[in-house]
Amino acid sequence: MTTYVMLINWTELGVKNIRESPARLDAARKLLGEMGGSFKEFYLTMGEYDMVVIGEASDDAVMARFALSLGMKGNVRTKTLKAFPEAAYRQIISSLG
């Protein structure tokens, strides 16, 4: 499984309906699960982003479909980063020669 860091901001619609946000989070967690992925961690954050999700998916296409599905609902905008674990980081660096 590949790890992804998803940076999330509420849209104007998402803030307007903020009280529904916990239910939307549950629905998002379920959706990613149905796609074969999972939420590893979720954080409400202060600063540039409103929320951060650490998730896993079998490949980039799954996470892309998930992010697009969230965006289509209009409550959030996402930025998704593919994350390399330390072992992969070390392998990449050592391959530089």
Side-chain angles (χ1 to χ4, degrees):
M1 295 288 266
T2 301
T3 301
Y4 300 87
V5 177
M6 183 173 278
L7 308 171
I8 305 168
N9 280 317
W10 281 300
T11 62
E12 187 174 332
L13 177 64
V15 171
K16 181 179 176 183
N17 299 309
I18 197 75
R19 288 182 180 86
E20 299 168 7
S21 182
R24 292 193 306 260
L25 173 60
D26 294 339
R29 182 177 276 121
K30 181 180 177 192
L31 176 63
L32 184 55
E34 290 169 354
M35 293 178 166
S38 66
F39 276 38
K40 293 300 174 191
E41 298 180 56
F42 169 84
Y43 299 98
L44 176 67
T45 56
M46 295 170 39
E48 187 174 351
Y49 297 98
D50 297 318
M51 297 164 281
V52 175
V53 168
I54 309 299
E56 288 185 339
S58 56
D59 59 43
D60 294 345
V62 168
M63 192 53 77
R65 281 195 307 276
F66 175 67
L68 290 168
S69 295
L70 292 182
M72 287 171 46
K73 296 178 188 309
N75 294 297
V76 296
R77 293 288 176 254
T78 64
K79 291 184 180 181
T80 305
L81 310 170
K82 186 172 183 173
F84 294 87
E86 183 178 345
Y89 150 77
R90 290 182 181 279
Q91 182 179 16
I92 291 166
I93 299 303
S94 69
S95 72
L96 295 175

